[in-house]
Amino acid sequence: MADPMRIRAAHKDGVTEVRVLMSHPMETGQRKNAAGDTIPAHFITEVDATHNGKSVLKAQWSTAVSQNPFLSFKFKGGAKGDKLAVKWVDNKGDTRTDEAAIA
Amino acid sequence: ITEKQALAQANRAGFEAKSLADALKAVGGTPATSDQVTVVAPDIAENGAVVPVGATSNLANTTEIHLLVEKNINPLSASFFIPAGTEASVQTRLKMGQSTNVIAVVKADGKLYSATKETKVTLGGCGG
Amino acid sequence: MALDHADVLAATPGAGERLYDVPKFGNVSFLHFTDCHAQLKPIYFREPSVNLGLSEALGRPPHLVGEKLLKHFNIQPGTAQAHAFSYLNFEKAAKTYGKIGGFSHLATLVKQMKASRPHALLLDGGDTWQGSATSLWTNAQDMVDACKLLGVNIMTPHWEFTFGAKRVQEIVENDFKGKIDFLAQNVTTADFGDQVFAPYVIKEMNGVPVAIIGQAFPYTPIANPRYMVPDWTFGIQDENMQKMVDEARGKGAQVVVVLSHNGMDVDIKMASRVRGIDAVLGGHTHDGMPAPVIVKNPGGQTLVTNAGSNSKFLGVLDFDVRGGKVQDFRYKLMPVFSNLLPADKEMEALITKVRAPYEAKLNEKLAISEGALYRRGNFNGSWDQVICDALMEVKGADAAFSPGVRWGTSLLPGDTITYELMMDQMAVTYPATTLNEFTGAQVKEIMEDVADNIFNPDPYYQQGGDMVRVGGFQYTCAPTAPMGQRIQNLTLKGKPVEADKKYKVAGWASVQEGVQGEPIWDVVAGYLRNKKVVKQVKINQPKLVGVDGNPGIA
Ligand SMILES: [Mn+2]
Ligand SMILES: [Mn+2]
């Protein structure tokens, strides 16, 4: 199981800014290990962020997204204390969802 | 395989494209250059493995933002789908093997627009 | 050009009163030094004879050398000023006017300036902790203590980071606390982009609120090892700079000054893009500029200065601030001639104390140099050539690369190369030497990469050093050509370098982590002890094309 995401969601002047750091190797499938074997690709393919159950951003990613991916975006609305959830799915079918309260 | 999964797989075809032209085709065609689109990427990358890249669109009804790294083996790197109420501005961090153009393609009112920025990936090691 | 009788007189006692007579002006003052590179003692320093400006920077300060520089700034040839600002007649003039810089002499000048301007703030532009044996051996403590004694109020960093993030924070949080503001608007955490250091401070002078914003060297993790500062990110960040300027103005600042380590071309571009900065007091490119460049921008105008290196200069910027804004200014960059400024006793005592445990090692006589040894210039210097020659001989290499840094003191013909003077060229925290096998194609790629960092027409793509010093390989350089086409006719011992053939190339100061190898000082010290006398070196310079008539070349 992957480590939890670090999520910061802050509301200011009617807009909520969300910043997320995910914990994931984001292996490209191009690298080789010390023994010379190719390390299989292992990367997040889909991200879905929801505010009070309503989607506020969806993303599809390739292996080009850096290890321990960062994502930042803003949406209108949101209030201090509201739940902001982020879910990712990777190419092996693993998934993880974390929540943060809007500050 | 459900219809939804099939659709998701088809949508991912762009990530396999090996040229900028093919990647653009996969996201919907040739975009028009627009000064209403901004690519945020450093002039010189501090670390090619972690380059902050983002894009902003000032065009009304922007529904998609795609980030492409021209010189990567697979240029299409990330696609963002913007629901109503979310600002057309996203940031992430991407890998770049060498100096390259970074292209943001946005879909607004069903049409494609783009902007380009050059990021240099250097060996480094000198200074005053 | 020979020195005449009048010039020799100019070097006599009493000349200082004229050189350092800066009439009081206005109500807000800044004293500025930068890039002292840990030089506590007076030294010689030869200014460059090659400092090419291309595209927009062609013929624009700082890209003027020798007579062209003197003419541009209206400096009489054959004077103390001419010696301080140009390479002209270096060997003879250096003998006439004596050594420059040194913190004891700088301290005296600071005190003189403060006597007429007690409100003045002393700003240190960085590259302060690195560049000497003692700063390396004391883990920067000698410079930290000297700067506190000198009365530095504010500083911004670059090479400071090569002591590692932890050491930097330890100094900022302990030694500097409540004494020296360590500012950097463009250093943030690599995770969420939080500010690592304070971006600016607002101080009051004669009732006028003034803001000073710090700008650290934007390309630190590229030009120097990233592993030293793994959790921080840099960049020019001019959007955030604008935000800081606006924020400071919003808090009532009537004067906004940026203490910058961008390098002068980057500062000029930044000043054209960011509104509301009255002056950028700049460093990094080590340009001793007698007058500021005035940059027009949508907010009005911004003065851009650069204050040289090696504690050779002190800049004084006076502002007349009335009605809530800057009405007028005066600027003067004064050379610190150690013969004209008596040593400050307190500072001298500190320097003597910190050096005491190391004196024997510092004074070891390694060899005599028959010719002048210096480093500055876009392509190569005689000191760099000695380093390359040592690397090739000791490592058994076909060729050598030595980084094109702009620090490093100079020697006059016949001078003894002491261990200390050698360390001035190489006192870094990542000194390992390397011996690599590079193909001809890789050699060209490395050289092209560095050349683009210097000659890219857009200053934001430059890193502000000089071309990698090359021993063994000869080449033609076309600075105005696009990247990939600047390095031509690469040869080794008269034979063309082949793309697929492997060559043994020695080097040092790799920015990669985990590089093992004898430190550069052991390699060069061994070479020098063995030689005893270093004959006039033949400097391996590229043949230049496309820069005829450029006023940045002598
Ligand atoms: Mn410097
Ligand atoms: Mn510097």
Side-chain angles (χ1 to χ4, degrees), chain A residues 6 8 19 21 70, chain C residues 190-194:
Chain A
R6 293 165 64 195
R8 287 193 192 176
R19 290 182 296 164
L21 276 164
F70 174 78
Chain C
D191 54 4
F192 283 113
D194 299 326

Side-chain angles (χ1 to χ4, degrees), chain B residues 127-128, chain C residues 34-35 37 125-127 130 157-160 217 220 224 261-263 283-286 407 463-464:
Chain C
T34 191
D35 294 83
H37 284 281
D127 282 0
Q130 177 277 341
H158 167 201
W159 275 88
E160 284 67 23
F217 178 50
T220 301
N224 306 98
H261 203 95
N262 273 337
H284 183 61
T285 36
H286 295 197
W407 40 269
Q463 289 171 30

Side-chain angles (χ1 to χ4, degrees), chain A residues 15 21 25-28 30 43-46 54-76, chain B residues 8 11-12 15 48-51 69 72-96:
Chain A
V15 175
L21 276 164
M26 298 301 285
E27 273 298 339
T28 58
Q30 320 271 348
F43 62 103
I44 293 171
T45 54
E46 315 266 333
K54 175 185 168 278
S55 177
V56 284
L57 187 78
K58 278 188 166 46
Q60 292 190 334
W61 286 352
S62 77
T63 55
V65 173
S66 304
Q67 185 181 29
N68 298 333
F70 174 78
L71 170 66
S72 160
F73 65 97
K74 291 175 185 170
F75 67 91
K76 288 197 191 76
Chain B
N11 284 345
R12 291 200 58 86
F15 293 114
V50 193
V51 186
V69 179
N72 278 2
I73 303 171
N74 304 116
L76 182 58
S77 304
S79 297
F80 300 88
F81 303 90
I82 319 284
T86 293
E87 294 187 4
S89 180
V90 292
Q91 274 185 298
T92 184
R93 293 169 188 158
L94 301 177
K95 299 167 195 161
M96 295 177 193

Side-chain angles (χ1 to χ4, degrees), chain C residues 467-520:
Chain C
M467 185 63 191
V468 59
R469 285 26 191 159
V470 182
F473 297 123
Q474 295 190 294
Y475 66 106
T476 298
C477 183
T480 56
M483 182 163 176
Q485 295 168 36
R486 292 192 182 97
I487 308 299
Q488 306 163 0
N489 305 325
L490 257 174
T491 61
L492 181 68
K493 296 188 181 105
K495 286 194 198 129
V497 168
E498 294 168 42
D500 298 331
K501 198 175 157 184
K502 286 194 169 167
Y503 299 89
K504 281 202 262 179
V505 183
W508 66 285
S510 165
V511 295
Q512 302 303 316
E513 192 162 11
V515 173
Q516 302 289 324
E518 230 188 327
I520 183 69

Side-chain angles (χ1 to χ4, degrees), chain C residues 141-157:
Chain C
Q141 195 63 45
D142 65 338
M143 294 313 297
V144 167
D145 294 341
C147 285
K148 278 163 67 182
L149 184 58
L150 189 64
V152 170
N153 299 105
I154 294 162
M155 90 172 282
T156 198

Side-chain angles (χ1 to χ4, degrees), chain C residues 358-401:
Chain C
Y358 310 107
E359 283 293 354
K361 180 142 200 208
L362 293 169
N363 292 325
E364 187 198 345
K365 293 181 167 131
L366 296 170
I368 305 281
S369 179
E370 284 190 352
L373 294 182
Y374 60 89
R375 176 173 265 162
R376 276 300 303 276
N378 280 160
F379 296 99
N380 206 351
S382 45
W383 242 128
D384 297 302
Q385 189 63 48
V386 170
I387 293 170
C388 286
D389 289 347
L391 278 167
M392 289 189 287
E393 188 176 304
V394 176
K395 298 255 166 191
D398 300 314
F401 285 152

